[in-house]
Amino acid sequence: MVAVKRLVLDVLKPHQPNALVFSQTLAATGAGYRVQLTVSEVDEHTETLRIVIAGDALEFDAIESAIKRMGGSLHSIDEVEVHSGDGAG
């Protein structure tokens, strides 16, 4: 099995929810998820975010659904780290 260990996402979101709530919601998407969020740009209605999510086995569909539920839009997946189940990594 191949597990997703780390994602770097480019996300556009409205000002609310704020960055703290947005990060907490993403972290709660899966057990042991770690989230690092950086606001890279702010305009009148939106914020552009760089989000790094790490964990043992990230569930991309759940993460994407949480982003959409909070009014965000996934612009791109900028980095991915995956590990195979052969014991490496």
Side-chain angles (χ1 to χ4, degrees):
M1 180 178 132
V2 176
V4 179
K5 301 290 188 171
R6 183 172 177 271
L7 292 169
V8 178
L9 307 175
D10 179 12
V11 173
L12 183 71
K13 77 164 197 65
H15 290 296
Q16 294 300 321
N18 65 35
L20 179 60
V21 171
F22 204 87
S23 297
Q24 290 172 325
T25 301
L26 292 177
T29 303
Y33 284 17
R34 296 176 305 281
V35 176
Q36 178 185 16
L37 183 150
T38 304
V39 178
S40 59
E41 191 174 323
V42 177
D43 70 17
E44 187 176 343
H45 301 288
T46 61
E47 300 172 357
T48 301
L49 312 174
R50 178 182 186 267
I51 302 173
V52 180
I53 305 174
D56 290 333
L58 301 179
E59 296 289 336
F60 177 74
D61 291 340
I63 293 166
E64 185 176 34
S65 292
I67 290 169
K68 288 180 182 178
R69 279 194 312 275
M70 291 185 284
S73 174
L74 177 63
H75 279 188
S76 63
I77 301 171
D78 294 342
E79 292 181 36
V80 178
E81 180 181 340
V82 298
H83 293 197
S84 67
D86 66 1

